[in-house]
């Protein structure tokens, strides 16, 4: 009852004209930020931190939080329409969303993304409101060992993200791992795979890598076809809204993506990016239409988009309740809290009750504003696809180049964009899937960091892998997941052989 009373007080403050204006401005800016490649919520919040100095703490935090969850949906727009992820968590949406758009299903893809984002975001905020204390205790059970095993499991599952040869999927994973290891060793400070170039000391930016692998090969392929590309994309712009079947196929992924995203978002240091990949992998594994994945399966858009928005709400739980950032963006928000003289943690709900509940209430309002703002604009966004192909794909290249330059304002970023663009094109020509490389790059720092922490805590011993109950359970599930399908296929083939012999 106290929670409902506090939330009611938060709504009273959040519905004041000034607070409402900042919430609406935040989600609007977040959508724009998500659409523009190379910007992302981290850069936008970093740019606006000096502006927020002169604001009331509650208004500044409402604005920056709105940008965070608004960008989650904005990134899906360009990922779907032009295969250019505007935000890290939207990279997986480009796999199925773009294929849907190519087949005249752009409206359905954007609609399922918008509705899934709204439902998942709302459920995540409800979870943030009522389940924070319980879920924070659960998250504390996970140490470096469990995080390492979770990342390793995700990496093993990455080979199932794409149809075709598992060997080629593993090649893609190793490419992502190799790129992720470029830069300075975060513990020793020694350079790795920099080839003596100081410019590589900071590593390869994820956004440049994702844009290079997804957007550039697609643009090159369509521009190289010349007028023949007209047949390739002739269904662009002939879109229909979500059908009854689309609603039925999206409902399950929305629900599952919300749960997966929320749980992964709670884990400190993980964030919504991994949630969207894990949701995609899960939907592909349980789907009865596995052959559609990679060719425009609506489940591959609905689940990941729900997951990355639910991950935002989940990431707020360790931030508000423990003062621990759940992602790079929430780390910036933690800095903003301290800038205002506030310290997130258990005491903030007691000492700053009005402020924290106003922020939570504004997230409910902002989530409603997002669906009202974006759902009617789906048709407008899809009209982009009616542009002549030469203008459309040339504009994509220009947009990607500007986005890559805006990340560090360096020509070196453009060089990396070109190099990885060529690598992505060659991967596509060779039938090597792109998505596993993207996921591997996301996981490298988390995997390495937690592996080293595990060894440091245990004095170089691997014993925690089997002595900790949670980690042992994860290992058992991993082994079952690898061995189980092999045994099942052997059993089915043996039964079939026995049946054939009997019939013969």
């Amino acid at each position: 009852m106290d929670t409902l009373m506090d939330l009611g007080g938060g709504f009273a403050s959040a519905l004041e004209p000034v607070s409402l204006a900042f919430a609406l401005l935040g989600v609007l800016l977040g959508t724009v930020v998500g659409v523009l490649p190379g910007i992302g919520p981290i850069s936008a919040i970093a740019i606006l931190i000096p502006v927020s100095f002169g604001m009331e703490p509650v208004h500044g935090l409402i604005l920056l939080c709105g940008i965070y969850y608004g960008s989650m949906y904005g990134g899906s727009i360009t990922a779907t329409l032009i295969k250019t992820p505007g935000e890290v968590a939207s990279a997986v949406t480009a796999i199925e969303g773009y294929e849907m758009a190519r087949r005249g299903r752009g409206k359905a893809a954007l609609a399922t993304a918008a509705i899934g984002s709204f439902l998942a975001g709302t459920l995540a905020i409800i979870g943030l409101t009522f389940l924070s204390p319980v879920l924070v205790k659960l998250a504390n059970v996970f140490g470096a060992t469990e995080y390492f095993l979770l990342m390793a499991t995700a990496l093993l599952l990455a080979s199932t993200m794409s149809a075709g040869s598992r060997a080629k999927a593993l090649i893609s994973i190793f490419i992502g791992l190799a790129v992720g290891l470029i830069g300075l060793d975060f513990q020793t400070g020694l350079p790795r795979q920099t080839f003596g170039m100081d410019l590589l000391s900071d590593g390869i930016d994820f956004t440049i890598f994702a844009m290079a692998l997804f957007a550039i090969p697609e643009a090159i392929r369509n521009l190289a076809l010349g007028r023949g590309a007209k047949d390739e994309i002739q269904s662009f712009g002939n879109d229909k809204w979500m059908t009854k079947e689309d609603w039925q196929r999206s409902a399950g992924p929305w629900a599952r993506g919300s749960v997966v995203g929320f749980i992964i978002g709670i884990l400190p240091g993980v964030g919504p990016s991994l949630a969207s990949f894990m949701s995609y992998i899960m939907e592909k594994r349980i789907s009865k239409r596995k052959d559609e994945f990679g060719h425009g399966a609506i489940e591959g858009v609905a689940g990941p988009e729900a997951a990355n928005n639910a991950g935002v709400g989940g990431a707020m739980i360790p931030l508000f309740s423990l003062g621990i950032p759940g992602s790079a963006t929430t780390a910036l928000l933690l800095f903003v809290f301290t800038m205002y003289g506030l310290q997130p943690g258990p005491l903030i709900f007691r000492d700053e009750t009005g402020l924290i509940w106003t922020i939570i209430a504004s997230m409910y309002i902002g989530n409603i504003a997002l669906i009202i703002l974006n759902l009617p604009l789906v048709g407008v966004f899809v009209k982009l696809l009616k542009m002549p192909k030469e203008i459309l794909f040339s504009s994509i290249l220009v947009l990607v180049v500007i986005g890559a330059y805006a990340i560090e304002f360096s020509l070196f970023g453009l060089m990396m964009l070109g190099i990885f663009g060529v690598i992505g094109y060659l991967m596509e020509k060779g039938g090597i899937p792109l998505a596993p490389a993207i996921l591997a790059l996301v996981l490298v720092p988390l995997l390495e960091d937690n592996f080293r922490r595990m060894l440091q805590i245990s004095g170089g011993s691997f014993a925690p892998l089997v002595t900790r109950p949670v980690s042992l359970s994860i290992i058992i599930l991993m082994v079952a997941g690898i061995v189980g399908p092999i045994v099942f296929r052997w059993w089915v083939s043996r039964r079939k052989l026995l049946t054939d012999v009997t019939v013969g």
Side-chain angles (χ1 to χ4, degrees):
M1 185 61 72
D2 290 341
T3 299
L4 291 175
M5 291 180 62
D6 290 335
L7 184 61
F11 270 109
S13 300
L15 288 170
E16 291 179 358
V18 178
S19 299
L20 194 59
F22 278 113
L24 297 177
L25 178 62
V27 296
L28 178 62
L29 288 174
T31 302
V32 173
V33 161
V35 168
L36 296 175
I39 306 300
I42 298 176
S43 301
I45 290 173
I47 291 169
L48 289 175
I49 283 176
V51 178
S52 64
F53 269 116
M55 297 181 185
E56 290 290 324
V58 66
H59 296 152
L61 289 165
I62 286 174
L63 174 68
L64 299 180
C65 288
I67 290 172
Y68 184 22
Y69 54 83
S71 66
M72 291 296 110
Y73 174 71
S76 68
I77 297 172
T78 48
T80 298
L81 300 183
I82 56 177
K83 206 177 183 181
T84 306
E87 204 278 325
V88 175
S90 299
V92 71
T93 305
I95 302 170
E96 304 298 335
Y98 181 72
E99 290 299 320
M100 287 184 68
R102 285 178 59 194
R103 286 160 174 74
R105 307 297 318 283
K107 281 184 181 178
L110 290 177
T112 193
I115 297 167
S117 298
F118 169 72
L119 294 175
T122 302
L123 290 172
I125 300 167
I126 292 172
L128 171 64
T129 304
F130 296 101
L131 302 178
S132 296
V134 179
L135 292 173
V136 165
K137 289 178 183 177
L138 256 154
N140 286 338
V141 173
F142 282 77
T145 307
E146 288 74 21
Y147 279 124
F148 164 69
L149 288 172
L150 280 177
M151 302 305 117
T153 303
L155 209 53
L156 285 173
L157 291 173
S159 62
T160 67
M161 289 185 69
S162 305
S165 168
R166 290 290 178 88
K168 290 183 177 180
L170 288 173
I171 292 172
S172 180
I173 290 171
F174 283 121
I175 290 172
L177 290 173
V179 173
L181 291 173
I182 294 174
L184 297 179
D185 185 302
F186 62 89
Q187 286 191 347
T188 65
L190 297 175
R192 300 185 301 193
Q193 299 181 182
T194 60
F195 307 100
M197 300 172 62
D198 292 338
L199 290 171
L200 285 173
S201 298
D202 293 331
I204 303 299
D205 187 272
F206 174 88
T207 308
I208 290 177
F209 187 71
M211 289 192 300
L213 257 63
F214 279 129
I216 289 184
E218 190 65 26
I220 291 174
R221 184 170 65 85
N222 281 280
L223 290 173
L225 288 172
R227 295 192 177 275
K230 195 168 186 178
D231 298 329
E232 177 78 13
I233 59 171
Q234 61 183 353
S235 59
F236 273 19
N238 301 323
D239 289 79
K240 296 179 181 179
W241 196 256
M242 288 181 69
T243 63
K244 182 180 179 181
E245 184 187 4
D246 290 334
W247 282 90
Q248 292 171 344
R249 291 178 60 177
S250 296
W254 286 337
R256 290 186 290 269
S258 299
V259 174
V260 169
F262 186 61
I263 292 173
I264 291 180
I266 292 169
L267 302 175
V270 180
S273 303
L274 180 61
S276 61
F277 281 97
M278 293 303 295
S279 173
Y280 181 83
I281 292 169
M282 180 176 69
E283 292 303 325
K284 185 177 178 183
R285 289 184 73 86
I286 67 175
S287 176
K288 296 178 181 178
R289 301 179 176 90
K290 289 183 173 62
D291 56 319
E292 289 189 26
F293 279 78
H295 305 286
I298 195 168
E299 296 90 343
V301 178
E305 281 302 309
N308 67 42
N309 280 270
V312 173
M316 293 295 184
I317 288 181
L319 175 66
F320 289 167
S321 302
L322 296 176
I324 299 173
S327 65
T329 310
T330 50
L332 265 183
L333 291 175
L334 177 62
F335 168 76
V336 176
F337 269 96
T338 57
M339 180 186 77
Y340 285 126
L342 305 169
Q343 183 56 54
L347 297 181
I348 199 169
F349 284 90
R350 186 194 70 185
D351 300 337
E352 299 290 344
T353 302
L355 178 139
I356 205 71
W357 285 107
T358 301
I359 294 171
I360 293 173
S362 75
M363 293 175 72
Y364 282 99
I365 295 168
N367 212 33
I368 295 171
L370 265 178
I371 192 75
I372 294 173
L373 173 69
N374 288 301
L375 206 54
L377 292 177
V378 164
V380 177
F381 293 140
V382 172
K383 286 182 180 179
L384 173 70
L385 302 178
K386 294 183 179 180
M387 294 171 61
K389 64 185 183 307
E390 295 86 357
I391 297 175
L392 175 63
F393 289 104
S394 298
S395 300
I396 292 172
L397 289 177
V398 172
L399 187 67
V400 167
V401 168
I402 293 173
Y405 183 74
I407 292 172
E408 296 179 350
F409 296 100
S410 166
L411 292 177
F412 182 72
L414 299 182
M415 290 173 56
M416 292 297 101
L417 183 74
I419 292 170
F420 288 115
V422 172
I423 291 173
Y425 181 75
L426 294 175
M427 287 173 68
E428 276 204 335
K429 293 288 283 185
I432 298 173
L434 304 177
I438 299 291
L439 178 59
L441 183 63
V442 171
L443 292 178
V444 164
L446 298 171
L447 189 75
E448 183 183 11
D449 181 36
N450 287 292
F451 178 69
R452 288 188 170 188
R453 282 173 54 210
M454 177 190 76
L455 293 179
Q456 287 174 343
I457 293 169
S458 64
S461 170
F462 289 91
L465 292 172
V466 292
T467 56
R468 294 172 65 92
V470 177
S471 61
L472 182 60
S473 301
I474 295 172
I475 290 174
I476 292 171
L477 290 173
M478 285 173 64
V479 173
I482 295 170
V483 176
I486 297 172
V487 173
F488 179 74
R489 284 195 294 269
W490 171 82
W491 180 76
V492 169
S493 62
R494 185 171 180 274
R495 286 289 300 269
K496 185 176 183 299
L497 180 63
L498 288 174
T499 302
D500 291 343
V501 170
T502 305
V503 172

